[in-house]
Amino acid sequence: MRVAALIIAIDGPAAAGKGTLARRLAAHFGLPYLDTGLLYRAVARRVLDHGGDPADQQAAARAAAALTAEDLTRDDLRTDDVDRAASVVAGQAPVRAALLAFQRHFAASQGAVLDGRDIGTVVLPEAPVKLFVTAAPAARAERRWRERAAAPEDLARITAELALRDAQDAARAIAPLRPAADAVTLDTTALDPEAAFQAALAIVLAIIGARSPLS
Ligand code: DC
């Protein structure tokens, strides 16, 4: 199913199931998909690779300006050190400014599904469909722990780090994590990926149906 220039903005905290859901919605509607968290991860990776400090705004801004498509395909963007550094660079205005045009351009021509923290509030506030995907902290920590295939004793550390990152993402002055006023919240705590997809699809179809001049 392909819907012309449909833009679906998906925001929410870490490990809430945004990525899996966004990929499935993109495939269903034949839309390109952008995981915007990868942009911040790639900036963080570049800073760390150059021996820089993620809190150094100039180093992070240089890394953001130099970002290439290959940086996004690296297989070392989902590590604990990048988790921490990405949250730090994501709080910096020059980094966010450098990445904004790319994200808007990505959605402009043929529509897209984007997931992140500020897609519905800052990047694409005009998106017709906005989902805020969340889940209980313990469920999200367990998902992240499984994804990383971490040792049993790592669950407590992962839970604490996730809480810290969420607090950082939500408390920052610029583009904080929060639902857009017109976002529909989907809590995936008790949903497996298929149930989350079906719930999200029903929301999207209801919104597009309600907006269609033919309905
Ligand atoms: O979704 P993620 O865990 O891959 O995101 C990595 C970091 O980037 C996380 O700290 C939140 C931040 N981020 C952001 O500030 N804005 C976005 N649109 C996407 C991610």
Side-chain angles (χ1 to χ4, degrees), residues 36-37 40-41 86-87 90 96 116-119 165 169 172:
T36 66
Y40 296 92
R41 288 177 179 277
S87 189
R96 302 201 76 86
R117 303 295 187 286
D118 64 335
I119 308 304
R165 278 210 302 138
D169 294 340
R172 68 186 177 213

Side-chain angles (χ1 to χ4, degrees), residues 46-87:
R46 262 185 175 266
V47 173
L48 295 174
D49 285 355
H50 288 89
D53 176 359
D56 174 350
Q57 297 219 10
Q58 288 185 349
R62 273 197 305 275
L67 216 59
T68 66
E70 288 82 66
D71 286 323
L72 303 181
T73 62
R74 291 177 59 153
D75 61 7
D76 54 0
L77 298 179
R78 296 189 189 282
T79 59
D80 292 347
D81 58 342
V82 173
D83 285 350
R84 287 188 282 272
S87 189

